[in-house]
Amino acid sequence: MIKNYLHACKGTCSRTISISYDDETNLITDLEIVGGCNGNLNGLSKILVGLNINEVHDKLKGTKCGPRETSCPDQIALAIEALTCL
């Protein structure tokens, strides 16, 4: 079954993250980021689709952007936590 979540970003240039994954295969099926660095975030979205959601979470969690306590990749990890109840 495909599960979807819309995450409101905090502390980043990106505003929202829409993420979907198949809870049977644990694969990300869709990822869209609104706001932020358009080219980088579109590229990141394309890279992450088809990957295991738990592995993506573990790789991105805690990533910081300069002096900020978070980043767009960290916000993706937070969206994954909310979606999957990690």
Side-chain angles (χ1 to χ4, degrees):
M1 170 185 281
I2 302 295
K3 293 188 176 183
N4 306 293
Y5 179 69
L6 181 63
H7 175 77
C9 298
K10 295 180 179 106
T12 61
C13 300
S14 58
R15 295 185 304 275
T16 61
I17 296 170
S18 173
I19 185 168
S20 303
Y21 90 109
D22 184 330
D23 69 349
E24 293 176 12
T25 63
N26 279 340
L27 299 180
I28 295 173
T29 58
D30 190 47
L31 180 68
E32 181 180 348
I33 305 164
V34 176
C37 304
N38 191 43
N40 289 334
L41 296 177
N42 281 334
L44 183 59
S45 296
K46 290 179 182 183
I47 290 169
L48 297 181
V49 169
L51 297 182
N52 180 285
I53 198 163
N54 297 317
E55 292 175 9
V56 168
H57 171 269
D58 293 347
K59 288 182 179 182
L60 299 181
K61 179 72 175 170
T63 303
K64 296 183 180 186
C65 182
R68 297 177 184 173
E69 290 298 314
T70 190
S71 66
C72 295
D74 187 53
Q75 291 295 305
I76 293 170
L78 295 175
I80 289 170
E81 288 175 12
L83 176 61
T84 63
C85 301
L86 286 177

